[in-house]
Structure formats: structure tokens, C-alpha cells
Amino acid sequence: MKLRTLFLMLILVLLAVFLIINWSALSQVTTVNLVVEEIQAPLGVIVVGAFAVVVLIMMLYTIFQQASVVMEIRQAHKDTRAARQAADEADKSRVTELGREVKARLDQLEALIVAKTDEVEKLIRERGDAADREIALLRDQMKEEQAATQNAVSERLLNIDKKVSDVLPASEGEIKDEKKKKELFGDLF
């Protein structure tokens, strides 16, 4: 219990004790002026009755106040619960929408990466094919140059061989071969 409630109960108990102890004095009949007329009644009983009516009215007012506060709290609790549910649904819808947006952006990013990868592969293939053609041309040129160089070297070697054979005396074997040819073929040579 609250301290205020305990204090009020203590005061009511003290007043009840005071009334019980002084009941004989309070119940004596006296002349009471009611502004409109005068009557003979116990003044203490009238004051206690009036006090009891005021206390009863105050108790009813307090109960009404507490009931209205409880009703307001219940309504606020319902509103809070409804707001919480709406916020949860809004959060869920926001999370769902955010998930959709992230998925859409990831799909766009994946499509962009695939497109760029395809472009790079195509460019690599084209450059590889161009490099292969250039290598084939270079190989053909090298073969032609090699063949030309080989022919030139062969011609030079033949020329050198002729010059060397013209300058050097013939060997005995060659002279004998030459004589045999002349004997066989005669004047043809």
C-alpha cells in the first residue's frame, strides 16, 4: 500500500475511536439551526452523518477516477499493441522490399559482369586470332627469308667452289677420270 493510503486509514481509525469514546456526548439532543427552520436532534450524529456522506462521495469519486484511469490505460495499451503490430508489419515490409531491391541490384550486377566478361572474352579471342595471323605471316616470311638465304648461301658456295676448282690444279683422280671420259666419248667433250 502507498504511504498516503496508510495515512488516510490511520486518520479514519483515529476518528472512529474518537467517535466511539465520545458517543454519549455526540448523541445528546440539542437545538440545530438548519437556516430555514430549527429542529431538536443530536448535533454529533448529524455532523458524523454529514462527514460519512462526504467520505462516501469522496470514495465514489476516487473509484470513478481510478476506473477512468484504468480504462485509459487499457485503451493506451491496446493502441500501443496495435502500433507495435503496425510497426512490426512495416518493418517486415521494409525488410522484404529491401531484400527485393538488393536482389534486383545483384541481378543487374551479375548481368553486367556477365556482359563485361563476354566482351573481354570476345576481345581476347579477336586479339588472339590477330596474333595467330601475324605469327603465321611472320613464320611464312621467315621461311621465305630462310629459303632465300639458303639459296643465296648455296649459290655462293657453288661460286666459291667453282672459283676454288678453277684456281686449284685438278687432282690426279680427276685427271684420270677426265681422260677416261675423253677416250670413251671422244670428241664430244
Side-chain angles (χ1 to χ4, degrees), residues 27-47:
S27 61
Q28 288 180 1
V29 177
T30 59
T31 304
V32 179
N33 186 355
L34 298 176
V35 180
V36 198
E37 108 181 56
E38 287 187 10
I39 59 168
Q40 292 288 327
L43 181 63
V45 173
I46 293 174
V47 170

mmCIF file of all heavy atoms in Angstrom, residues 27-47:
data_model
loop_
_atom_site.group_PDB
_atom_site.id
_atom_site.type_symbol
_atom_site.label_atom_id
_atom_site.label_comp_id
_atom_site.label_asym_id
_atom_site.label_seq_id
_atom_site.Cartn_x
_atom_site.Cartn_y
_atom_site.Cartn_z
ATOM 1 N N SER A 27 -24.327 12.135 21.045
ATOM 2 C CA SER A 27 -25.713 11.721 20.852
ATOM 3 C C SER A 27 -26.699 12.531 21.718
ATOM 4 O O SER A 27 -27.893 12.258 21.715
ATOM 5 C CB SER A 27 -25.880 10.248 21.141
ATOM 6 O OG SER A 27 -25.537 9.960 22.462
ATOM 7 N N GLN A 28 -26.269 13.556 22.408
ATOM 8 C CA GLN A 28 -27.188 14.411 23.201
ATOM 9 C C GLN A 28 -27.991 15.297 22.261
ATOM 10 O O GLN A 28 -27.474 15.875 21.338
ATOM 11 C CB GLN A 28 -26.414 15.290 24.166
ATOM 12 C CG GLN A 28 -25.828 14.520 25.307
ATOM 13 C CD GLN A 28 -25.064 15.449 26.246
ATOM 14 O OE1 GLN A 28 -25.001 16.645 26.047
ATOM 15 N NE2 GLN A 28 -24.516 14.860 27.272
ATOM 16 N N VAL A 29 -29.256 15.433 22.549
ATOM 17 C CA VAL A 29 -30.163 16.191 21.710
ATOM 18 C C VAL A 29 -29.993 17.666 22.029
ATOM 19 O O VAL A 29 -30.000 18.080 23.186
ATOM 20 C CB VAL A 29 -31.629 15.761 21.956
ATOM 21 C CG1 VAL A 29 -32.584 16.586 21.159
ATOM 22 C CG2 VAL A 29 -31.781 14.298 21.646
ATOM 23 N N THR A 30 -29.873 18.467 20.944
ATOM 24 C CA THR A 30 -29.744 19.922 21.080
ATOM 25 C C THR A 30 -30.564 20.574 19.979
ATOM 26 O O THR A 30 -31.032 19.928 19.052
ATOM 27 C CB THR A 30 -28.279 20.398 20.958
ATOM 28 O OG1 THR A 30 -27.775 20.008 19.710
ATOM 29 C CG2 THR A 30 -27.445 19.882 22.075
ATOM 30 N N THR A 31 -30.691 21.893 20.043
ATOM 31 C CA THR A 31 -31.406 22.625 19.024
ATOM 32 C C THR A 31 -30.427 22.889 17.887
ATOM 33 O O THR A 31 -29.364 23.457 18.071
ATOM 34 C CB THR A 31 -31.934 23.964 19.571
ATOM 35 O OG1 THR A 31 -32.741 23.697 20.725
ATOM 36 C CG2 THR A 31 -32.735 24.691 18.555
ATOM 37 N N VAL A 32 -30.850 22.475 16.666
ATOM 38 C CA VAL A 32 -29.980 22.619 15.499
ATOM 39 C C VAL A 32 -30.675 23.585 14.536
ATOM 40 O O VAL A 32 -31.826 23.404 14.192
ATOM 41 C CB VAL A 32 -29.749 21.259 14.825
ATOM 42 C CG1 VAL A 32 -28.867 21.389 13.595
ATOM 43 C CG2 VAL A 32 -29.152 20.286 15.806
ATOM 44 N N ASN A 33 -29.958 24.647 14.116
ATOM 45 C CA ASN A 33 -30.491 25.629 13.184
ATOM 46 C C ASN A 33 -30.129 25.172 11.768
ATOM 47 O O ASN A 33 -28.970 25.079 11.407
ATOM 48 C CB ASN A 33 -29.901 27.004 13.481
ATOM 49 C CG ASN A 33 -30.524 28.088 12.639
ATOM 50 O OD1 ASN A 33 -31.331 27.822 11.756
ATOM 51 N ND2 ASN A 33 -30.132 29.312 12.915
ATOM 52 N N LEU A 34 -31.153 24.911 10.929
ATOM 53 C CA LEU A 34 -30.947 24.468 9.552
ATOM 54 C C LEU A 34 -31.177 25.623 8.571
ATOM 55 O O LEU A 34 -31.502 25.399 7.435
ATOM 56 C CB LEU A 34 -31.886 23.305 9.208
ATOM 57 C CG LEU A 34 -31.701 22.032 10.032
ATOM 58 C CD1 LEU A 34 -32.758 21.018 9.648
ATOM 59 C CD2 LEU A 34 -30.318 21.430 9.805
ATOM 60 N N VAL A 35 -31.010 26.817 8.945
ATOM 61 C CA VAL A 35 -31.161 28.066 8.207
ATOM 62 C C VAL A 35 -32.645 28.331 7.904
ATOM 63 O O VAL A 35 -33.125 29.423 8.094
ATOM 64 C CB VAL A 35 -30.330 28.103 6.905
ATOM 65 C CG1 VAL A 35 -30.510 29.405 6.146
ATOM 66 C CG2 VAL A 35 -28.877 27.866 7.177
ATOM 67 N N VAL A 36 -33.419 27.379 7.521
ATOM 68 C CA VAL A 36 -34.818 27.568 7.202
ATOM 69 C C VAL A 36 -35.685 27.313 8.432
ATOM 70 O O VAL A 36 -36.698 27.955 8.636
ATOM 71 C CB VAL A 36 -35.258 26.607 6.078
ATOM 72 C CG1 VAL A 36 -36.545 27.062 5.434
ATOM 73 C CG2 VAL A 36 -34.191 26.430 5.021
ATOM 74 N N GLU A 37 -35.249 26.409 9.246
ATOM 75 C CA GLU A 37 -36.023 26.077 10.446
ATOM 76 C C GLU A 37 -35.093 25.514 11.502
ATOM 77 O O GLU A 37 -33.963 25.156 11.208
ATOM 78 C CB GLU A 37 -37.155 25.130 10.058
ATOM 79 C CG GLU A 37 -37.064 23.732 10.466
ATOM 80 C CD GLU A 37 -38.253 22.919 9.996
ATOM 81 O OE1 GLU A 37 -38.549 22.869 8.793
ATOM 82 O OE2 GLU A 37 -38.819 22.284 10.854
ATOM 83 N N GLU A 38 -35.573 25.415 12.720
ATOM 84 C CA GLU A 38 -34.796 24.878 13.832
ATOM 85 C C GLU A 38 -35.440 23.573 14.259
ATOM 86 O O GLU A 38 -36.650 23.472 14.345
ATOM 87 C CB GLU A 38 -34.801 25.850 15.012
ATOM 88 C CG GLU A 38 -33.952 27.046 14.773
ATOM 89 C CD GLU A 38 -33.843 27.925 16.023
ATOM 90 O OE1 GLU A 38 -34.269 27.528 17.106
ATOM 91 O OE2 GLU A 38 -33.305 29.008 15.848
ATOM 92 N N ILE A 39 -34.577 22.534 14.532
ATOM 93 C CA ILE A 39 -35.100 21.237 14.962
ATOM 94 C C ILE A 39 -34.342 20.786 16.179
ATOM 95 O O ILE A 39 -33.250 21.288 16.484
ATOM 96 C CB ILE A 39 -34.981 20.177 13.846
ATOM 97 C CG1 ILE A 39 -33.519 19.989 13.424
ATOM 98 C CG2 ILE A 39 -35.818 20.521 12.655
ATOM 99 C CD1 ILE A 39 -33.299 18.773 12.554
ATOM 100 N N GLN A 40 -34.895 19.786 16.869
ATOM 101 C CA GLN A 40 -34.256 19.187 18.027
ATOM 102 C C GLN A 40 -33.683 17.849 17.557
ATOM 103 O O GLN A 40 -34.413 16.963 17.153
ATOM 104 C CB GLN A 40 -35.275 18.941 19.147
ATOM 105 C CG GLN A 40 -35.841 20.162 19.775
ATOM 106 C CD GLN A 40 -34.796 20.849 20.651
ATOM 107 O OE1 GLN A 40 -33.940 20.213 21.261
ATOM 108 N NE2 GLN A 40 -34.864 22.173 20.687
ATOM 109 N N ALA A 41 -32.331 17.726 17.557
ATOM 110 C CA ALA A 41 -31.681 16.481 17.118
ATOM 111 C C ALA A 41 -30.277 16.443 17.715
ATOM 112 O O ALA A 41 -29.732 17.451 18.144
ATOM 113 C CB ALA A 41 -31.603 16.436 15.609
ATOM 114 N N PRO A 42 -29.694 15.241 17.745
ATOM 115 C CA PRO A 42 -28.325 15.159 18.247
ATOM 116 C C PRO A 42 -27.355 15.758 17.201
ATOM 117 O O PRO A 42 -27.258 15.280 16.066
ATOM 118 C CB PRO A 42 -28.081 13.670 18.434
ATOM 119 C CG PRO A 42 -29.152 12.951 17.704
ATOM 120 C CD PRO A 42 -30.239 13.930 17.463
ATOM 121 N N LEU A 43 -26.657 16.806 17.556
ATOM 122 C CA LEU A 43 -25.745 17.515 16.664
ATOM 123 C C LEU A 43 -24.591 16.617 16.237
ATOM 124 O O LEU A 43 -24.164 16.632 15.075
ATOM 125 C CB LEU A 43 -25.221 18.782 17.346
ATOM 126 C CG LEU A 43 -24.261 19.626 16.508
ATOM 127 C CD1 LEU A 43 -24.923 20.163 15.262
ATOM 128 C CD2 LEU A 43 -23.688 20.741 17.336
ATOM 129 N N GLY A 44 -24.072 15.818 17.125
ATOM 130 C CA GLY A 44 -22.944 14.940 16.812
ATOM 131 C C GLY A 44 -23.301 13.929 15.750
ATOM 132 O O GLY A 44 -22.512 13.635 14.838
ATOM 133 N N VAL A 45 -24.530 13.366 15.825
ATOM 134 C CA VAL A 45 -24.956 12.367 14.849
ATOM 135 C C VAL A 45 -25.106 13.030 13.486
ATOM 136 O O VAL A 45 -24.727 12.458 12.460
ATOM 137 C CB VAL A 45 -26.276 11.697 15.299
ATOM 138 C CG1 VAL A 45 -26.828 10.787 14.224
ATOM 139 C CG2 VAL A 45 -26.053 10.926 16.575
ATOM 140 N N ILE A 46 -25.634 14.270 13.457
ATOM 141 C CA ILE A 46 -25.783 14.981 12.186
ATOM 142 C C ILE A 46 -24.414 15.254 11.563
ATOM 143 O O ILE A 46 -24.205 15.038 10.365
ATOM 144 C CB ILE A 46 -26.570 16.289 12.391
ATOM 145 C CG1 ILE A 46 -28.013 15.956 12.790
ATOM 146 C CG2 ILE A 46 -26.544 17.143 11.131
ATOM 147 C CD1 ILE A 46 -28.841 17.165 13.155
ATOM 148 N N VAL A 47 -23.455 15.717 12.381
ATOM 149 C CA VAL A 47 -22.102 16.008 11.856
ATOM 150 C C VAL A 47 -21.435 14.727 11.378
ATOM 151 O O VAL A 47 -20.827 14.682 10.299
ATOM 152 C CB VAL A 47 -21.258 16.732 12.929
ATOM 153 C CG1 VAL A 47 -19.803 16.816 12.507
ATOM 154 C CG2 VAL A 47 -21.816 18.087 13.205
#
